[in-house]
Amino acid sequence: MKCLFVLILLVGPGALASALEVDECVGCHTARRNEPKSRFANGLGHWNDSQCYGCHAELNDVAAQKQKGKTDRRYYAVPVREEKLAQLATSPLAYMNAPETVEPPEGAVPRVSWERLAAFLKRPSNLSPQQGSRAPRMMAYPALQPKALKAVAGLLGVRQPAREKAPAKLTVEERRQADALWTARCFSCHGGPKPVSGRSGVSLGLYTAEWLRDYAAGKVRAPREARTMPVVPLSTGEAKLLYRLFGEMRAEAERELDARVSRLKLEEMAVPTELPPALLGYLWGPFFRDATCVHCHATSPRAASAFTADAEGLKAYLRRESGEEFWRRLETRALEAEHGLVAARPGMPMAGVELPLELRRVIARWVLDGCKDPEGQTWCRH
């Protein structure tokens, strides 16, 4: 791809190992995200695999135009079913909250913490203030390597401190003070199972102490949303204390989520006594599109290398992994939505909302019955 060549020119041949992650970031967090490779005669954009934002934005726009009754030549060419387009008009595809830029210009107070960026990219936390599922709506990079991290940080403009030093663990007294500060200044909007602001303490830990201080004081702005937060006075010392607390909150939240994932047991799932007659045909066909698997596993080389979103790809996955693992990844996504955080082994659909509970229960029944295909052949033993 052209963007891979540009990347190599910018940061050197060593970027090849990290080009995939950077290429995907280009598709959401640079000015080029709305530039298709070309446009077809009817005006529809020709997007590459990494241009998630631009592709989704155009599909959402076509859906909105259709709902308004406006003529749009692109409508006849979009690879989306009529009923799905109707859904997109009110429930847009993912990535629409992704800011074009994440860092302010050079010279301003740094926003994203270099020290916390790796943890966020490996296991994103929810940053969306909108209502609904808290499942993080971005890709996760659990195997992110230092070279890739440096390349991504460079692309996004995240600055590495001259002297990087991880903050010390809070002492018992410091933790007491930090908890009291959190309760008094932050908890009413950022605490609880569904924070009013959309951002929990785990998510706030992505930002530098200095930016948290200035944002609370109303001196800086976030990239996308209009400010709804009241001015909250924070001294530099208090902001640094909260920054350290947020880091510990992430570690605690990760342990809690992973413990719940480890306790998932297929046999303990409440399942129907038998499969609906039409389910087998659905699971081996339309499911891949309805569950949004095709958005990554039929396009992205990184995702397709793990699982291809078609019947043959499902067979290969069930042989290589297991039916129980297939179910577990779907169930993990539901837990991620509860916690607003991605698990160590990410749930599916990544960057999408969790599947409905009833569908997950039916899939559990299908796995317990041996992952049968429409011809009755079994493809798993749990």
Side-chain angles (χ1 to χ4, degrees):
M1 299 177 191
K2 183 190 294 185
C3 48
L4 295 189
F5 176 68
V6 172
L7 171 68
I8 295 168
L9 289 179
L10 288 173
V11 296
L16 272 175
S18 54
L20 197 56
E21 291 89 345
V22 174
D23 194 25
E24 292 181 359
C25 292
V26 167
C28 281
H29 297 294
T30 70
R32 300 202 300 274
R33 68 182 186 171
N34 284 312
E35 299 175 4
K37 294 171 61 178
S38 60
R39 289 199 176 273
F40 299 104
N42 57 21
L44 189 68
H46 178 197
W47 307 92
N48 67 34
D49 296 342
S50 67
Q51 292 180 294
C52 304
Y53 181 92
C55 180
H56 286 194
E58 183 160 35
L59 292 176
N60 291 334
D61 183 56
V62 171
Q65 297 304 317
K66 171 68 174 174
Q67 185 189 50
K68 295 176 182 176
K70 295 184 177 181
T71 301
D72 190 332
R73 292 185 305 156
R74 299 173 299 170
Y75 164 77
Y76 301 99
V78 294
V80 180
R81 297 195 312 276
E82 186 75 28
E83 57 270 26
K84 183 63 176 179
L85 269 180
Q87 293 176 14
L88 296 186
T90 55
S91 300
L93 290 168
Y95 305 118
M96 293 301 95
N97 286 320
E100 182 176 303
T101 58
V102 300
E103 275 296 287
E106 190 72 33
V109 172
R111 178 172 179 261
V112 174
S113 164
W114 172 281
E115 183 246 335
R116 299 280 171 79
L117 181 60
F120 178 80
L121 292 175
K122 290 177 180 180
R123 303 182 60 168
S125 52
N126 183 46
L127 293 175
S128 174
Q130 67 186 21
Q131 296 296 317
S133 173
R134 294 188 63 225
R137 303 298 298 274
M138 64 170 282
M139 298 301 291
Y141 302 90
L144 186 73
Q145 298 299 308
K147 182 180 290 186
L149 172 64
K150 189 171 183 179
V152 169
L155 175 76
L156 300 179
V158 177
R159 285 158 272 179
Q160 183 175 13
R163 292 183 178 181
E164 185 180 8
K165 184 179 180 181
K169 180 177 174 59
L170 292 169
T171 65
V172 173
E173 177 58 23
E174 286 175 330
R175 181 61 189 250
R176 186 193 66 76
Q177 294 174 2
D179 285 337
L181 186 60
W182 163 255
T183 301
R185 312 272 183 91
C186 315
F187 185 84
S188 60
C189 291
H190 297 283
K194 290 189 175 181
V196 175
S197 74
R199 290 172 171 82
S200 66
V202 173
S203 297
L204 293 174
L206 175 64
Y207 309 121
T208 65
E210 293 74 18
W211 192 86
L212 288 170
R213 175 201 63 204
D214 288 359
Y215 186 81
K219 296 179 179 179
V220 295
R221 297 180 58 187
R224 280 185 62 88
E225 303 95 18
R227 184 187 178 96
T228 57
M229 174 180 167
V231 170
V232 178
L234 282 179
S235 68
T236 299
E238 289 172 332
K240 289 182 177 180
L241 193 63
L242 285 173
Y243 175 80
R244 292 164 64 194
L245 174 66
F246 297 154
E248 294 193 5
M249 282 182 168
R250 168 174 274 276
E252 293 162 3
E254 288 179 350
R255 287 194 297 269
E256 182 183 350
L257 173 56
D258 292 344
R260 291 189 67 188
V261 171
S262 70
R263 292 194 296 267
L264 287 173
K265 294 188 185 303
L266 180 63
E267 293 79 5
E268 296 178 1
M269 185 79 171
V271 299
T273 55
E274 58 182 10
L275 292 175
L279 180 82
L280 294 182
Y282 174 75
L283 276 182
W284 292 87
F287 170 80
F288 300 119
R289 184 168 293 279
D290 291 349
T292 68
C293 309
V294 295
H295 289 189
C296 295
H297 293 278
T299 57
S300 166
R302 181 170 73 93
S305 66
F307 166 66
T308 305
D310 56 28
E312 292 305 311
L314 179 56
K315 291 175 184 178
Y317 181 88
L318 294 173
R319 286 194 298 262
R320 185 178 69 252
E321 301 288 345
S322 67
E324 183 167 6
E325 179 62 13
F326 182 82
W327 164 81
R328 183 177 291 108
R329 299 296 288 277
L330 302 179
E331 204 61 34
T332 297
R333 188 59 174 165
L335 294 180
E336 292 175 345
E338 286 185 36
H339 288 255
L341 179 67
V342 170
R345 186 166 173 76
M348 294 293 159
M350 189 186 291
V353 298
E354 67 278 14
L355 299 186
L357 175 59
E358 288 307 311
L359 178 55
R360 302 198 314 268
R361 285 175 171 169
V362 168
I363 289 174
R365 174 78 271 171
W366 170 72
V367 172
L368 289 169
D369 287 350
C371 306
K372 292 180 181 178
D373 64 19
E375 286 70 46
Q377 182 176 347
T378 59
W379 290 93
C380 73
R381 295 180 180 178
H382 293 201

